[in-house]
Amino acid sequence: MASKQGQPGSGQIDVTQLPVPQLQELKTQLDRELEHLTTSFQSLRTAQAKFRDCLASIATGISASTAEKTLLVPLTSSLYVPGKLTDHEHVLVDVGTGFFVEKDIPGAKDFYERKVKDLQDSLKDLEGVVNSKAQNVRVVEEVIRLKVMNAQEQEKGKTG
Amino acid sequence: MSEFQKKLQELSESYQSLQAELGTAVEARQKLESQQQENTTVKKEFDLLDDEANIYKQIGPVLLKQDKTEALMSVNGRLEFIEKEIRRFETQIKGIQDKSEKLKVEVRHMGYSHTRDLAFVKPQD
């Protein structure tokens, strides 16, 4: 969202013209943004993994061969009762905001594959943003380093 | 001098409270945006469905069967509401930003006039 704002080096403000304290402030701000973006990246990854799990569950758990077998249904984390699938051709898919849609197996697979793909696209976009942010941080760090070194040299020149 | 400090402190306090207000408003808008996102994906999903698809709405621990039109209607209603709320927060955020900008200018002016006063005072002592 805020990726296009406050990019140093691109546009009006030349970072090399800024004094060191301001650069440091800029760096902490950039660091914060970068951290935020990285956490978002992580949560997207987790969400994607969850959808992949759903795909795997459909692939391994629901088929004609499992329809006859009894399975254990968890009532609590430590109490299970035996059960049987009454319908191995349909599943209920949580589409968000409390809505569930009954889908057949190919439909459900298609749904989750689409979700995984959408997330992949978002991840790719976000990766680009994260990389450019990291690049910005590096540039600012480099400028700070140069400025500090220059200041030290000048100090030396004065005393020596 | 002490009056100047008092005024300055007052201004900075009101500035800080404005910033806090801005923070909560921005947070609320972000939350609304993510809700909007979620509802839009649900709407998109509904658009792909057949008219006779079975849709269930979760109410507490139970799933209630719902018509597609009914479900679509409630999602559209939510989207409309969220849009309105976002617009409301946007104007609120803009108002707060304007106010804090004014405060900033005021503080800066005070600083200028104060240094000018000091410059006048200094030669005398």
Side-chain angles (χ1 to χ4, degrees):
Chain A
M1 284 176 286
S3 60
K4 294 285 180 285
Q5 295 166 4
Q7 286 191 3
S10 69
Q12 305 89 350
I13 301 166
D14 183 6
V15 271
T16 53
Q17 299 299 312
L18 290 172
V20 175
Q22 264 190 47
L23 281 172
Q24 237 127 25
E25 218 170 276
L26 181 63
K27 187 182 167 315
T28 36
Q29 198 198 326
L30 282 172
D31 277 340
R32 247 203 322 267
E33 281 173 28
L34 189 62
E35 199 182 324
H36 178 75
L37 288 172
T38 330
T39 24
S40 307
F41 191 81
Q42 287 295 347
S43 35
L44 278 182
R45 267 287 203 26
T46 333
Q48 204 186 24
K50 262 185 203 157
F51 287 133
R52 287 223 170 93
D53 279 351
C54 290
L55 274 172
S57 301
I58 290 175
T60 55
I62 301 165
S63 63
S65 62
T66 49
E68 281 89 53
K69 290 178 192 150
T70 53
L71 43 86
L72 290 169
V73 184
L75 292 184
T76 71
S77 57
S78 58
L79 180 64
Y80 294 79
V81 291
K84 215 172 198 182
L85 281 179
T86 53
D87 183 356
H88 66 273
E89 271 157 3
H90 293 92
V91 284
L92 281 175
V93 176
D94 184 355
V95 292
T97 64
F99 283 110
F100 287 71
V101 176
E102 192 175 301
K103 282 177 181 290
D104 55 6
I105 301 302
K109 265 190 185 159
D110 174 61
F111 173 83
Y112 286 121
E113 267 156 17
R114 226 169 40 228
K115 288 271 157 188
V116 169
K117 201 188 147 291
D118 285 354
L119 283 173
Q120 193 62 46
D121 292 347
S122 310
L123 276 168
K124 224 166 138 194
D125 288 351
L126 194 58
E127 202 182 348
V129 176
V130 167
N131 280 342
S132 73
K133 267 283 150 152
Q135 179 63 27
N136 286 345
V137 171
R138 267 199 299 279
V139 167
V140 173
E141 263 170 2
E142 184 65 14
V143 173
I144 291 176
R145 208 174 57 84
L146 280 176
K147 288 221 161 186
V148 169
M149 254 167 56
N150 276 347
Q152 276 174 348
E153 241 152 64
Q154 272 177 10
E155 196 79 0
K156 252 188 222 159
K158 267 185 208 160
T159 52
Chain B
M1 177 63 185
S2 67
E3 203 177 316
F4 168 77
Q5 275 180 341
K6 222 164 138 190
K7 188 86 200 292
L8 198 61
Q9 193 170 359
E10 238 170 60
L11 282 178
S12 82
E13 260 165 28
S14 44
Y15 182 73
Q16 263 163 16
S17 75
L18 272 180
Q19 286 300 308
E21 235 177 273
L22 184 67
T24 45
V26 168
E27 218 170 276
R29 194 195 55 184
Q30 269 171 0
K31 213 168 143 194
L32 281 168
E33 268 168 5
S34 66
Q35 279 174 355
Q36 189 182 35
Q37 177 88 23
E38 194 178 355
N39 277 291
T40 331
T41 51
V42 174
K43 188 171 153 26
K44 266 191 217 146
E45 192 56 39
F46 282 169
D47 287 342
L48 292 171
L49 289 174
D50 299 338
D51 280 337
E52 60 267 20
N54 289 327
I55 295 173
Y56 300 85
K57 167 117 194 62
Q58 188 176 32
I59 298 167
V62 289
L63 294 177
L64 280 182
K65 199 164 173 178
Q66 240 183 7
D67 263 4
K68 192 193 167 187
T69 44
E70 212 177 320
L72 207 54
M73 232 163 57
S74 71
V75 170
N76 279 338
R78 271 193 228 159
L79 277 172
E80 228 167 82
F81 173 76
I82 289 167
E83 219 164 281
K84 260 188 220 148
E85 283 290 288
I86 285 180
R87 239 175 287 153
R88 195 169 68 85
F89 273 107
E90 217 115 79
T91 45
Q92 197 186 337
I93 286 168
K94 205 171 169 320
I96 295 170
Q97 275 171 342
D98 285 351
K99 265 192 218 159
S100 60
E101 199 55 40
K102 262 184 212 144
L103 270 179
K104 251 196 222 164
V105 170
E106 205 173 322
V107 169
R108 211 169 290 150
H109 268 288
M110 270 183 72
Y112 281 144
S113 56
H114 185 63
T115 43
R116 204 186 51 215
D117 287 351
L118 279 183
F120 275 127
V121 169
K122 258 201 175 150
Q124 282 174 355
D125 24 54

